[in-house]
C-alpha cells in the first residue's frame, strides 16, 4: 500500500480518535499516529482513572455516615488493589478504542510523528514519511512544571496514577480542578494532604459561592490550604522531599505534586517546517472550523487551548471531519460549556457566574442551601448549594451552579434547557421530582442575594 492518505491525524486522544473515525466514515483514507497509548490523556491518565480514584476516595465519607444507617463497617484500604483494577479497566478501554478505530478502517500507526511540510508527516521510529492531503494535529497538552530548583523531585498527575506506594503526606501545588480533585483523592485515601496556591481562593472563574463552599468542604475534611504562597525549591531527604515556600518556611512531605496547569503539546512537532502559526499563549492558532493558517493543516483539542475538556475536543474533532470530508461545514459553539469538579464536595456549573452575569444587566439570584438527605441521619452538617441566576428582564437563565452530591449529573441535564434559551418560567413549568436535591432548581420562589437568608434544615 502507498504512504499517501486523505488524512493523517497526529495523536490518538479524544479529539484525534473522533476525527479519524468520522472522516473515515465519510470515505477518506485515514491514518492515525500515536506515540504512547491509544485513548489519549482522558482515557489513559486523565478523566477516567481520575474518576475511578475519586470513587475510591469517597468511601471514607460513606463509611463515616454508615453507622447512622445502622451499618458497622470495618474498613481498610489497599492501594495496590485499586491500582491493579484501575489498570485493568484502562487496558480494556484502550482495546475498545483501538478496535473502534480498526472497525472504522482507520490505520493505526504506533510512532512519534513530526511535520516536515504542509502535506508531509515523518514517522520518527520507522524513518519514513507519510504524504497527506490533510493533516490534523491533535497532540493534546502536558503538565506544566515551574522552573524551580529540585523540580524533578515532584510528580505530576501523570505519575500520580502509578505511585508504587501511597505517601504518608503530600503537598499539591495549584488551585485548578486537577489540584483540588487530587487533594480530595489523596485525603480520602488517608494521606495527610496540603494544598498550596499562589492565588486567594481555589477554582478561579467559578461562582464565588461554590468556591467558598468547596473551600470549607476541603478544610472540614482535614485538607490544609495555604494561599498566596508558592513552592520556591525542593530538596530530597531520606523519607521524602522538603519544600521551601515563598514565605520563607521549609516543610517536609512524603511527596510533592505539581498541578500547576497544562501547556499545549507543540514542542518538537515541526510546526516551523510546515509554517503553522501559534497564538500568543503558545497554542496552535485556529479559526472556528479548526483551520490553521496553512490550508492543509487543522488542529483540535487541548493543543489549541480553547477549552481543555474531553467533550470539547471530541466535538471539535467531529466538526472538523464533517467540515473537511462530509461537505457539511460545522463551527463549534464554545459559548456554553458545562464543567464539573469531582472534588468532595463535588461541584458543577453551566453558564455565567454571578459576578459575570451582573455585567449583562440586572439579574435575579436564587439560592438554596440545605443538608442533603443522605446526611440528615448523621452528624454531618455539610450543606448542598443550588444556585440559579436569571435575567430580571424576561427571566432568561444565565447560570446554574450546584455544590454537593451528584452536582455534575444535575448540571449536565441543566445544560439542555440552557442551550435552548430557557427562562425561569420554563424551569418552573417542570414538575418537581421528590425527594431529590435537583427539585430545588424548579421550585425556587423569591430571589435572594444572601444564601444565609434561605437556609433550610
Ligand atoms: C488529571 C486530568 C484529569 C482530567 N479530567 C477531565 C474531566 O474530568 N473531564 C474532562 O472533560 N476533561 C478532563 N481532562 C482533560 C482531558 O483529558 C483533555 O481535555 C482531553 O484529553 C484533550 O483531548 P485531546 O484529543 O486534545 O488530547 P489528548 O487526549 O491529550 O491526546 C493527545 C494524544 O497525542 C499523542 N501525541 C502527542 N504528540 C504526539 C506526536 N508527536 N506523535 C504521536 N502522538 C503524539 C499523545 O500521546 C496523546 O495520546 C483531564 C485531564 C487531566 C490531565
Amino acid at each position: 500500500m502507498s504512504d499517501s492518505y486523505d488524512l493523517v491525524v497526529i495523536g490518538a486522544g479524544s479529539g484525534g480518535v473522533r476525527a479519524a473515525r468520522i472522516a473515515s466514515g465519510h470515505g477518506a483514507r485515514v491514518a492515525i499516529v500515536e506515540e504512547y497509548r491509544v485513548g489519549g490523556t482522558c482515557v489513559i491518565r486523565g478523566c477516567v482513572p481520575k474518576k475511578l480514584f475519586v470513587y475510591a476516595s469517597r468511601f471514607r465519607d460513606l463509611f463515616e455516615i454508615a453507622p447512622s444507617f445502622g451499618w458497622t463497617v470495618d474498613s481498610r484500604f489497599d492501594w495496590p488493589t485499586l491500582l491493579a483494577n484501575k489498570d485493568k479497566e484502562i487496558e480494556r478501554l484502550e482495546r475498545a478504542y483501538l478496535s473502534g478505530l480498526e472497525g472504522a478502517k482507520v490505520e493505526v500507526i504506533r510512532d512519534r510523528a513530526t511535520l516536515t511540510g504542509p502535506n508531509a508527516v515523518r514517522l520518527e521510529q520507522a524513518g519514513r514519511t507519510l504524504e497527506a492531503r490533510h493533516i490534523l494535529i491533535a497532540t493534546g497538552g502536558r503538565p506544566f512544571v515551574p522552573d524551580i530548583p529540585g523540580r524533578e523531585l515532584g510528580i505530576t498527575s501523570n505519575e500520580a496514577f502509578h505511585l508504587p506506594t501511597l505517601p504518608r503526606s503530600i503537598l499539591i501545588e495549584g488551585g485548578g480542578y486537577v489540584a483540588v480533585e487530587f487533594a480530595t483523592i489523596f485525603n480520602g485515601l488517608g494521606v495527610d494532604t496540603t494544598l498550596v496556591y499562589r492565588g486567594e481562593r481555589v477554582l478561579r472563574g467559578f461562582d464565588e459561592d461554590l468556591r467558598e463552599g468547596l473551600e470549607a468542604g476541603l478544610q472540614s475534611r482535614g485538607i490544609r490550604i495555604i494561599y498566596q504562597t508558592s513552592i520556591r525549591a525542593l530538596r530530597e531527604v531520606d523519607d521524602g522531599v522538603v519544600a521551601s515556600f515563598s514565605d520563607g518556611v521549609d516543610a517536609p512531605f512524603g511527596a510533592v505534586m505539581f498541578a500547576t496547569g497544562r501547556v499545549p503539546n507543540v514542542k518538537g512537532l515541526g510546526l516551523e517546517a510546515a509554517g503553522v502559526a501559534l497564538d500568543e499563549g503558545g497554542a496552535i492558532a485556529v479559526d472556528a472550523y479548526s483551520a490553521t493558517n496553512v490550508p492543509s493543516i487543522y488542529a483540535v483539542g487541548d493543543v489549541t487551548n480553547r477549552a481543555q475538556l474531553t467533550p470539547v475536543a471530541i466535538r471539535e474533532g467531529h466538526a472538523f471531519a464533517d467540515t473537511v470530508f462530509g461537505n457539511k461545514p460545522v463551527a463549534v459553539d464554545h459559548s456554553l460549556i458545562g464543567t464539573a469538579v469531582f472534588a468532595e464536595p463535588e461541584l458543577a456549573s453551566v453558564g455565567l457566574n454571578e459576578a459575570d452575569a451582573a455585567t449583562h444587566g440586572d439579574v435575579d439570584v436564587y439560592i438554596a442551601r440545605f443538608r442533603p438527605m443522605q446526611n440528615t441521619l448523621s452528624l454531618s452538617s455539610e450543606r448542598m448549594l443550588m444556585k440559579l441566576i436569571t435575567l430580571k428582564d424576561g427571566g432568561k437563565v444565565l447560570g446554574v451552579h450546584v455544590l454537593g452530591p451528584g452536582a455534575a449529573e444535575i448540571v449536565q441535564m441543566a445544560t439542555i434547557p440552557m442551550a435552548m434559551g430557557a427562562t425561569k418560567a420554563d424551569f418552573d413549568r417542570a414538575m418537581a421530582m421528590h425527594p431529590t436535591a435537583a427539585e430545588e432548581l424548579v421550585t425556587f420562589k423569591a430571589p435572594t442575594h444572601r444564601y444565609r437568608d434561605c437556609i433550610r434544615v
Side-chain angles (χ1 to χ4, degrees):
M1 258 200 172
S2 83
D3 276 352
S4 175
Y5 298 86
D6 297 313
L7 172 65
V8 172
V9 179
I10 307 179
S14 308
V17 166
R18 174 59 69 93
R21 291 180 59 168
I22 301 299
S24 184
H26 287 311
R29 183 171 179 225
V30 183
I32 190 165
V33 191
E34 171 56 53
E35 68 175 345
Y36 181 52
R37 292 177 68 180
V38 172
T41 303
C42 182
V43 175
I44 307 296
R45 46 194 182 184
C47 340
V48 176
K50 176 216 46 202
K51 188 101 187 257
L52 294 173
F53 280 11
V54 167
Y55 283 129
S57 70
R58 283 182 176 168
F59 280 92
R60 200 182 78 173
D61 275 16
L62 289 176
F63 291 145
E64 260 167 35
I65 60 167
S68 61
F69 289 92
W71 287 94
T72 304
V73 181
D74 173 22
S75 62
R76 254 160 305 186
F77 174 69
D78 184 54
W79 174 248
T81 301
L82 174 63
L83 279 195
N85 288 342
K86 180 265 296 176
D87 287 342
K88 217 158 77 187
E89 173 60 6
I90 301 307
E91 277 158 27
R92 186 189 71 78
L93 286 172
E94 187 180 5
R95 279 196 304 275
Y97 267 72
L98 193 56
S99 65
L101 284 166
E102 287 166 353
K105 300 201 171 17
V106 173
E107 191 181 331
V108 180
I109 301 172
R110 308 289 194 146
D111 211 322
R112 174 166 174 80
T114 51
L115 301 174
T116 49
N119 299 95
V121 174
R122 183 177 164 74
L123 302 177
E124 294 298 324
Q125 285 163 30
R128 64 191 173 101
T129 297
L130 311 179
E131 205 181 292
R133 195 153 63 84
H134 293 285
I135 296 168
L136 179 68
I137 304 170
T139 50
R142 60 188 162 78
F144 167 80
V145 175
D147 191 13
I148 55 163
R151 69 202 285 268
E152 69 284 353
L153 298 173
I155 60 167
T156 68
S157 57
N158 286 351
E159 293 76 38
F161 292 117
H162 302 284
L163 290 176
T165 52
L166 266 186
R168 65 183 153 74
S169 65
I170 193 160
L171 169 69
I172 301 176
E173 179 165 36
Y177 78 92
V178 174
V180 163
E181 289 175 341
F182 272 94
T184 294
I185 290 168
F186 283 116
N187 168 262
L189 298 181
V191 179
D192 182 52
T193 303
T194 304
L195 196 60
V196 61
Y197 177 45
R198 64 179 180 189
E200 288 179 354
R201 180 169 273 166
V202 290
L203 293 189
R204 191 160 54 86
F206 278 83
D207 188 88
E208 209 48 43
D209 284 319
L210 259 58
R211 296 173 78 193
E212 187 186 300
L214 173 74
E215 180 188 75
L218 296 177
Q219 286 170 333
S220 75
R221 283 169 178 78
I223 296 173
R224 216 172 290 107
I225 307 183
I226 309 170
Y227 284 130
Q228 296 184 303
T229 307
S230 52
I231 305 174
R232 283 286 159 82
L234 296 179
R235 80 170 189 276
E236 196 166 14
V237 287
D238 275 354
D239 57 347
V241 181
V242 169
S244 303
F245 294 102
S246 53
D247 59 5
V249 174
D250 280 10
F253 297 91
V256 175
M257 173 174 168
F258 294 107
T260 32
R262 291 177 66 81
V263 289
N265 236 339
V266 292
K267 209 165 147 201
L269 207 50
L271 296 179
E272 315 73 26
V276 176
L278 299 179
D279 66 19
E280 59 287 355
I284 295 182
V286 288
D287 68 11
Y289 297 94
S290 299
T292 71
N293 61 314
V294 179
S296 55
I297 302 179
Y298 289 69
V300 296
D302 284 6
V303 77
T304 65
N305 206 12
R306 284 172 282 184
Q308 294 183 359
L309 291 168
T310 282
V312 177
I314 291 174
R315 188 63 73 86
E316 289 167 359
H318 200 131
F320 152 79
D322 281 346
T323 300
V324 176
F325 298 101
N327 201 22
K328 192 175 91 180
V330 184
V332 174
D333 179 4
H334 292 87
S335 63
L336 192 68
I337 300 173
T339 171
V341 179
F342 297 100
E344 198 68 344
E346 183 171 301
L347 65 86
S349 283
V350 59
L352 302 176
N353 64 39
E354 188 177 338
D356 290 344
T359 65
H360 285 63
D362 285 345
V363 295
D364 282 329
V365 179
Y366 300 83
I367 301 175
R369 251 180 138 236
F370 54 94
R371 286 171 83 199
M373 204 168 174
Q374 185 176 273
N375 287 350
T376 51
L377 300 192
S378 74
L379 292 176
S380 169
S381 59
E382 189 159 273
R383 288 173 189 279
M384 190 153 184
L385 182 114
M386 316 283 278
K387 182 165 178 178
L388 193 67
I389 303 167
T390 65
L391 262 186
K392 211 178 252 311
D393 182 15
K396 185 169 186 219
V397 179
L398 297 180
V400 177
H401 307 277
V402 178
L403 174 85
E409 305 291 344
I410 295 168
V411 170
Q412 171 67 87
M413 296 318 291
T415 60
I416 301 170
M418 290 267 310
M420 296 166 76
T423 62
K424 171 77 167 60
D426 295 321
F427 272 58
D428 291 348
R429 244 198 325 279
M431 188 68 80
M433 202 183 280
H434 184 75
T436 64
E439 66 184 299
E440 297 292 335
L441 287 176
V442 296
T443 52
F444 277 122
K445 301 225 165 29
T448 174
H449 279 280
R450 288 182 301 119
Y451 58 72
R452 284 176 190 83
D453 291 345
C454 62
I455 289 178
R456 177 159 77 65
V457 191

